[in-house]
Amino acid sequence: MEIAILVPCYNEEQTIGSVIDDFKRELPNAKIYVFDNNSSDRTSEVARAHGAIVRFEPRQGKGNVVRSMFRDIEADYYVMVDGDDTYPAEFVHDILAPVQKGEANLVIGDRLSNGTYFNENKRQFHGFGNNLVKGLINKLYKSNITDIMTGYRGFDRLFVKSMPVTSPGFEIETEMSIHALDNRFLIKEVKIDYRDRPEGSESKLNTISDGAKVLRMIFTLFKDYKPMLFFSVWAALFLVLGLAVGTPVIVEYVQSSFITKVPSAILAVGFVLLSMLSLACGLILDTVAGTHRKNYELQLNRISDRSERG
């Protein structure tokens, strides 16, 4: 069974050689693919010198890199890991075991449960952001995933070849998690250690802007995957506002048979109409989403059949 190690990279000259060497030691028969995302340093040269297969992705952003990886690389099992040497290679066997045994389609390397992430990572706001995203997704899908945004993951071929990557940047980890939850893929978490970047290696993450992108991605996927719930929330909000504005108007009419608060009456009617429109949109899009799920299941069957024949 062929194993592919996928390493997205952007200016990781200092660490990529160590990452490749570590994974070659743990999995000598695996193919290691380094995707250089417009690096301005010697990332690609170092990767090639250490024996990796180097590919280039001109569209900037980790999501664009993952899209090309999933589309172009053929293997039976996949491991994705960052090129910054923060994820120890010795845990790759724990990452691969569940997908090789058929126990999971997606394996998540949980950095948080062992406590090493909070000990090593000095960016306190990142921990807050991780917890916020994790709480939102777990509440939305009634799940209990511990580490939503880890960059150390294992996949089987079915997940990789059926994953529609739409995120351009660092939102990709969140998109993967939501896609797996919504389509009821088998998910398993494996506890791993985390180490901070070596001195001189700089993170490409921007806590505020990347956090905003992740939250926007959750909002968008919530609308796409659960339209009935999404639009029902808006319908309820508009209805409450309509009742709040319109109740004094109704009380006045009951008491005097006249309406003097005409602007309030118009505003209340507008809110109620928006509530009805939101509910109607939710019903229509929920039917569309249901049809999409059925078609997606048929697509999964076709991919599975091709994999078995191959």
Side-chain angles (χ1 to χ4, degrees):
M1 291 293 183
E2 188 170 329
I3 299 172
I5 309 297
L6 308 179
V7 191
C9 278
Y10 174 62
N11 288 343
E12 302 291 2
E13 174 187 352
Q14 181 178 342
T15 56
I16 187 58
S18 175
V19 172
I20 294 169
D21 291 343
D22 289 347
F23 276 92
K24 286 177 70 175
R25 183 183 65 250
E26 297 294 333
L27 293 171
N29 295 322
K31 292 183 178 180
I32 302 177
Y33 297 87
V34 172
F35 274 64
D36 189 333
N37 193 205
N38 298 318
S39 295
S40 57
D41 61 7
R42 298 177 58 253
T43 295
S44 60
E45 298 172 32
V46 173
R48 192 176 287 112
H50 282 260
I53 302 168
V54 177
R55 303 279 181 89
F56 295 91
E57 172 51 58
R59 293 165 296 184
Q60 197 66 44
K62 187 175 182 180
N64 290 321
V65 176
V66 172
R67 182 185 298 108
S68 294
M69 286 176 164
F70 283 7
R71 182 182 300 160
D72 298 342
I73 304 304
E74 299 293 334
D76 298 295
Y77 305 109
Y78 302 77
V79 175
M80 187 177 77
V81 64
D82 292 341
D84 55 10
D85 202 23
T86 56
Y87 297 103
E90 54 265 28
F91 288 95
V92 71
H93 305 287
D94 298 329
I95 294 285
L96 278 171
V99 292
Q100 290 176 324
K101 294 176 182 177
E103 297 173 355
N105 305 108
L106 166 65
V107 177
I108 295 172
D110 173 15
R111 309 162 294 173
L112 307 181
S113 294
N114 286 343
T116 52
Y117 179 80
F118 300 105
N119 293 333
E120 294 288 333
N121 195 314
K122 309 304 186 297
R123 295 160 294 183
Q124 297 299 321
F125 201 64
H126 278 212
F128 170 78
N130 281 334
N131 289 329
L132 175 61
V133 172
K134 176 180 68 175
L136 286 172
I137 292 177
N138 283 336
K139 189 171 185 62
L140 180 60
Y141 283 96
K142 297 181 175 60
S143 57
N144 58 351
I145 296 178
T146 303
D147 193 353
I148 294 287
M149 303 178 71
T150 178
Y152 202 1
R153 295 169 183 255
F155 318 95
D156 65 1
R157 181 179 175 82
L158 181 65
F159 184 89
V160 167
K161 295 305 178 182
S162 65
M163 169 76 196
V165 178
T166 60
S167 305
F170 281 100
E171 317 94 292
I172 180 60
E173 283 95 356
T174 304
E175 183 180 9
M176 285 182 190
S177 301
I178 293 179
H179 176 75
L181 287 167
D182 189 75
N183 291 288
R184 293 172 293 183
F185 280 104
L186 294 172
I187 304 173
K188 188 168 185 178
E189 285 192 292
V190 172
K191 294 180 182 179
I192 62 169
D193 290 340
Y194 177 88
R195 57 193 178 213
D196 207 4
R197 284 172 170 268
E199 187 176 352
S201 176
E202 296 183 359
S203 173
K204 315 306 183 298
L205 292 173
N206 183 295
T207 303
I208 302 300
S209 64
D210 289 328
K213 291 175 183 176
V214 169
L215 292 176
R216 185 169 65 246
M217 170 60 64
I218 294 174
F219 182 85
T220 301
L221 294 178
F222 179 24
K223 171 181 65 67
D224 292 343
Y225 287 147
K226 291 184 175 291
M228 190 64 212
L229 179 58
F230 178 85
F231 284 100
S232 292
V233 170
W234 287 106
L237 175 62
F238 287 134
L239 181 61
V240 169
L241 290 174
L243 290 175
V245 174
T247 298
V249 178
I250 296 172
V251 171
E252 181 188 39
Y253 180 78
V254 170
Q255 291 176 346
S256 64
S257 299
F258 288 99
I259 295 176
T260 59
K261 301 180 175 65
V262 175
S264 295
I266 296 173
L267 182 60
V269 171
F271 278 134
V272 172
L273 288 175
L274 285 174
S275 175
M276 295 173 63
L277 285 173
S278 296
L279 186 60
C281 287
L283 289 169
I284 295 169
L285 293 177
D286 187 62
T287 302
V288 173
T291 302
H292 170 74
R293 287 190 181 93
K294 294 174 184 176
N295 291 332
Y296 185 77
E297 288 296 324
L298 293 175
Q299 181 186 357
L300 288 181
N301 292 337
R302 288 193 291 269
I303 294 173
S304 181
D305 289 341
R306 285 198 297 268
S307 298
E308 290 176 1
R309 289 197 298 268

